[in-house]
Amino acid sequence: MIFDTHAHYDDGAFDEDRALLLDSMKEQGIERIVNISSDFASIQKTLDLTKAYDFIYGAVGIHPSDCGELEKSQIEYIREKSKEDKILAIGEIGLDYYWDNVPRDVQKWWFEAQMEVAREEKLPVVIHSRDAAKDTMDMMKALRAEEIGGVVHCYSYSVEMAKTFLDMGFYIGIGGVVTFKNSKKLKEVAKYVPLDRIVLETDCPYLSPVPYRGKRNSSLHLPYVVTEIAALRGISEEEVVKATYQNTLDLYRMEQ
Ligand code: NI
């Protein structure tokens, strides 16, 4: 019973075999998936996936690297779509100074505006933050993000920073990167974060775990992430699966 908290099955990388792949999830132990929007068009594609598959849920929002061409008034579209059935969160939203292809003030405007939609609609947020730890945390503090809640997805910062996010009540999303040999920092984080605050994610089609590093990722690869987290913490794989499933229900405020 594995719950993938963060996937992009609307991505073109799945155009060839999307239905075949998704139809195989349940029999391979992938119980539920949240499809996360990134650019504007992916919001409708996410909604379509939630309607086509009973085990797929969604998040609506605009990724910081995809907000450059938007009109501010398009925030209302996100608000409207966030009210639809099976939409569990606003995301992915945040700051990305790695690609840095959208002016930082524009990224910040969309991050704040979407945080406010989440607050008003009483939904958690899925935060994307890359090479932008300080600005992300400063904004979260200023916006009282602890009142909104959510997950820091594809966590890539230090243990010290993780503590700050945890203190704000956030969950930490861990995926394929934790299996990489050179991901020393993330392995430390995976050991440090309390077991009741870790959630599993693929971010597929990206970030496939070893032994599929560099290949297309899918939720079917999550057992490799489970094995790594279990080994790092010295607990059983069953414990990791069970705890992360329950954590995901708590994060996305699902009854069961
Ligand atoms: Ni993502």
Side-chain angles (χ1 to χ4, degrees):
M1 284 247 302
I2 287 179
F3 203 142
D4 187 350
T5 60
H6 191 120
H8 300 283
Y9 283 108
D10 55 285
D11 193 283
F14 297 108
D15 282 353
E16 297 273 303
D17 59 348
R18 184 176 291 107
L20 199 67
L21 183 63
L22 291 174
D23 285 340
S24 74
M25 288 295 160
K26 278 199 173 172
E27 67 197 31
Q28 301 209 53
I30 307 301
E31 191 72 13
R32 286 173 173 174
I33 296 167
V34 181
N35 202 75
I36 309 282
S37 308
S38 49
D39 62 10
F40 194 74
S42 70
I43 293 177
Q44 187 56 50
K45 291 179 193 162
T46 293
L47 287 163
D48 293 345
L49 282 167
T50 66
K51 290 186 179 96
Y53 296 92
D54 61 348
F55 61 94
I56 298 187
Y57 298 79
V60 296
I62 307 285
H63 186 290
S65 303
D66 289 303
C67 60
E69 306 295 315
L70 298 180
E71 300 289 336
K72 286 182 176 175
S73 59
Q74 287 177 289
I75 189 73
E76 290 312 317
Y77 178 80
I78 296 167
R79 185 192 312 278
E80 192 187 304
K81 297 301 177 186
S82 77
K83 298 176 199 285
E84 298 236 359
D85 280 352
K86 295 177 80 184
I87 296 304
L88 304 177
I90 299 294
E92 56 188 289
I93 64 173
L95 301 174
D96 193 314
Y97 296 170
Y98 176 81
W99 294 111
D100 225 6
N101 58 341
V102 174
R104 292 182 181 184
D105 60 325
V106 175
Q107 294 192 34
K108 287 178 179 171
W109 190 91
W110 281 95
F111 187 23
E112 175 168 351
Q114 295 182 97
M115 288 282 275
E116 292 305 335
V117 169
R119 185 197 311 280
E120 286 153 23
E121 301 302 326
K122 299 185 169 54
L123 292 170
V125 288
V126 178
I127 291 187
H128 170 103
S129 177
R130 193 160 180 206
D131 289 356
K134 185 177 183 302
D135 281 7
T136 303
M137 184 45 75
D138 287 350
M139 283 187 69
M140 286 172 71
K141 282 187 175 146
L143 295 167
R144 302 185 313 279
E146 68 278 8
E147 298 169 359
I148 298 169
V151 59
V152 184
H153 119 82
C154 192
Y155 189 80
S156 60
Y157 299 133
S158 64
V159 164
E160 294 71 42
M161 197 69 195
K163 185 177 182 319
T164 322
F165 287 116
L166 290 166
D167 287 346
M168 292 184 108
F170 275 70
Y171 290 81
I172 302 291
I174 295 182
V177 177
V178 77
T179 67
F180 298 176
K181 249 201 178 112
N182 55 357
S183 71
K184 223 180 125 218
K185 208 168 61 172
L186 184 60
K187 288 181 198 288
E188 276 167 30
V189 169
K191 276 195 268 191
Y192 167 80
V193 175
L195 188 58
D196 63 357
R197 299 289 283 282
I198 299 179
V199 294
L200 301 174
E201 63 165 71
T202 52
D203 205 18
C204 65
Y206 311 106
L207 301 175
S208 222
V210 173
Y212 297 103
R213 187 173 181 177
K215 306 255 167 62
R216 185 184 74 173
N217 198 7
S218 87
S219 311
L220 300 180
H221 295 163
L222 273 175
Y224 295 99
V225 176
V226 170
T227 302
E228 181 68 21
I229 295 174
L232 286 165
R233 301 181 70 100
I235 59 176
S236 70
E237 293 173 7
E238 292 70 32
E239 276 177 276
V240 173
V241 169
K242 198 169 161 228
T244 52
Y245 198 92
Q246 181 59 47
N247 298 345
T248 305
L249 298 182
D250 295 341
L251 157 66
Y252 286 133
R253 301 166 195 167
M254 304 170 84
E255 307 236 313
Q256 54 175 336

